[in-house]
Amino acid sequence: MSEITEQYDAYPYPERDPDDERRRLVTGSPSDLREIEHFLFAGRRDWSRPFRVLVAGGGTGDGLVQIAQQLAWAGRSAEITYLDPSTAAREIAERRAAIRGLDGIRFETGDLREAARLGPFDYIDCCGVLHHLLEPQEGFDALAAALDPGGGIGLMVYAPHGRSGVYPLQEAFRTLLAGLPPAERLARAREILSRVPEGHPFCRNPHLVDHAASDAGFYDLLLHSCDRAFAIEELDAHLSRAGLGLVSPARPALYDPARFLPEGVALPEDLPPAARMGLAERLSGTLKTHIVYAAPEARAGRAMARGSDSALVPHLRGAAPEKLAAHVAAKGEVAAQGAGTRISEPLPRACAPLLARIDGRRSVADIVGAAGGDTLAALGHWARIDRALTGWGLLHYASPRQAGR
């Protein structure tokens, strides 16, 4: 861990200017508040109880600031702990939180393998950390030990195929630049990369951008002292050994191999869920991360909200209801981005009026009831909306009493 701490003290990651908090909030997955309630609490968490959160390996604070700000905006009572080994990264995270007036956060400098002494927690964010451990299973086990039995985890780890070209360069740089101080190692690596031929898999991979964004991004991508990637089956196995179950990827449609199959080609009926997802990962070849939600194995199968629960309130993410409805009415599709590729998901034009009624307050039953006419047909249209939008992370559910901001 000493070499990793040295790296992040020299180049805190991701590179952030705390003053930018005055202009924008960095958002993403995991740890969007609607996602958490949807994937881990079946859309029905009791928010009258304080929400105990651990941001494990919080870096410069993206996940921390996002969830703390969303909880504050929603008026939710929360107890939030930040944990990271780098004091330089922690200082940036603290300044970002202070600028937003997000007080009451407990900041700890330390290793996520110590997480159990700080818990238990209702939710743990662990984004971009487990793939940097020499023994990753120790990290999975530590997170499981810190988790309340009724809680869950949102995590991101690297995936192998979308990072093609990264690992040969990492190995070469370790051989050539071992022992140099971070600044000199970075300068030499940049020189060497400029001489790598255009045909190198790294240079031909359009999904890799961190090295061009900042010094911290270059160092984290190509000069990290401990870095590995997990196929989705490996990730599932690590979770299982820790007593956890994979609830769902944040965008389940990315892991559905059926979208690649022409008519006449069927999936084997006995293919286990993890193997099914792995098949989609290999067919895609472009996934560079896995973003998933997990929960204690005993409740993982019932943790996620279902569109068939008509009392839940649907919330759109990243799209205005009127614009999305107009697009579906005109095109008969939903456009989505998947692993760097634009994807068109067919959706009947008859779904448009239902989409237009999504306002974050009305339940599925209210929306379907307001459609008038054939209720069974409207429910069928809602089922199509649910499959298409939740599959791409565009729709999440919350309970009626939580249907405010």
Side-chain angles (χ1 to χ4, degrees):
M1 288 298 297
S2 60
E3 193 169 350
I4 293 175
T5 303
E6 178 189 46
Q7 170 188 332
Y8 289 125
D9 280 342
Y11 297 103
Y13 181 83
E15 188 171 301
R16 295 291 184 237
D17 180 353
D19 282 336
D20 287 343
E21 297 306 318
R22 306 180 196 280
R23 296 181 286 276
R24 58 93 179 94
L25 175 67
V26 175
T27 60
S29 299
S31 298
D32 176 88
L33 195 55
R34 292 294 181 201
E35 271 190 8
I36 293 169
E37 187 170 9
H38 174 90
F39 285 112
L40 296 177
F41 299 100
R44 291 182 175 275
R45 184 179 191 274
D46 178 6
W47 290 101
S48 67
R49 296 182 293 109
F51 194 45
R52 299 165 298 176
V53 176
L54 172 66
V55 182
T60 52
D62 281 3
L64 171 76
V65 172
Q66 172 181 249
I67 193 168
Q69 183 65 83
Q70 289 181 343
L71 285 164
W73 280 338
R76 310 296 186 216
S77 174
E79 300 167 2
I80 304 174
T81 300
Y82 163 103
L83 178 66
D84 196 273
S86 168
T87 55
R90 169 181 166 168
E91 288 170 2
I92 293 171
E94 286 184 298
R95 291 204 300 274
R96 293 174 68 183
I99 286 172
R100 287 184 169 272
L102 299 171
D103 53 12
I105 300 171
R106 175 171 57 158
F107 286 90
E108 296 275 349
T109 299
D111 189 325
L112 74 81
R113 289 170 292 189
E114 306 166 2
R117 70 175 174 82
L118 303 171
F121 296 97
D122 300 306
Y123 177 70
I124 298 175
D125 168 289
C126 187
C127 189
V129 182
L130 294 165
H131 46 238
H132 292 320
L133 297 179
L134 191 60
E135 298 292 342
Q137 190 62 48
E138 293 180 359
F140 286 93
D141 294 344
L143 296 180
L147 189 64
D148 185 273
I153 301 173
L155 61 89
M156 182 277 278
V157 297
Y158 292 149
H161 305 305
R163 286 168 64 83
S164 61
V166 168
Y167 295 105
L169 286 179
Q170 282 190 3
E171 292 175 13
F173 290 151
R174 286 189 194 112
T175 300
L176 293 168
L177 306 176
L180 295 179
E184 186 175 353
R185 189 179 303 171
L186 175 66
R188 295 298 187 189
R190 285 195 180 280
E191 290 180 44
I192 295 169
L193 184 61
S194 70
R195 298 167 185 250
V196 168
E198 292 181 2
H200 192 287
F202 180 86
C203 300
R204 297 179 64 84
N205 187 340
H207 308 291
L208 302 171
V209 295
D210 270 11
H211 63 294
S214 65
D215 286 347
F218 188 106
Y219 210 107
D220 194 71
L221 182 65
L222 292 173
L223 292 172
H224 208 289
S225 61
C226 187
D227 184 332
R228 59 155 298 168
F230 301 87
I232 191 67
E233 296 100 325
E234 294 177 289
L235 173 57
D236 182 69
H238 278 294
L239 289 168
S240 182
R241 285 193 288 271
L244 301 169
L246 198 163
V247 174
S248 176
R251 290 193 290 171
L254 284 175
Y255 296 86
D256 182 3
R259 66 190 178 93
F260 296 100
L261 303 185
E263 188 174 349
V265 178
L267 292 169
E269 292 183 5
D270 59 348
L271 202 62
R276 182 186 176 99
M277 290 190 291
L279 179 58
E281 180 182 4
R282 290 186 289 277
L283 287 169
S284 169
T286 58
L287 294 176
K288 62 181 182 178
T289 63
H290 298 301
I291 301 172
V292 306
Y293 287 91
E297 206 154 27
R299 60 178 291 270
R302 62 180 189 275
M304 186 167 66
R306 308 290 175 181
S308 56
D309 185 347
S310 61
L312 294 179
V313 175
H315 296 260
L316 286 177
R317 182 176 183 184
E322 299 81 5
K323 289 185 178 180
L324 183 58
H327 182 85
V328 170
K331 303 290 186 180
E333 65 158 23
V334 170
Q337 285 293 120
T341 304
R342 184 185 182 278
I343 293 164
S344 173
E345 188 81 27
L347 199 59
R349 289 177 170 82
C351 294
L354 299 177
L355 288 168
R357 294 187 182 95
I358 298 174
D359 61 3
R361 295 184 297 276
R362 284 184 276 200
S363 68
V364 173
D366 293 335
I367 291 169
V368 169
D374 188 340
T375 300
L376 286 178
L379 286 170
H381 293 322
W382 185 263
R384 293 288 300 271
I385 290 171
D386 178 70
R387 283 196 299 273
L389 271 63
T390 58
W392 294 107
L394 300 174
L395 182 71
H396 302 111
Y397 294 98
S399 67
R401 64 184 181 279
Q402 313 297 347
R405 185 169 183 172

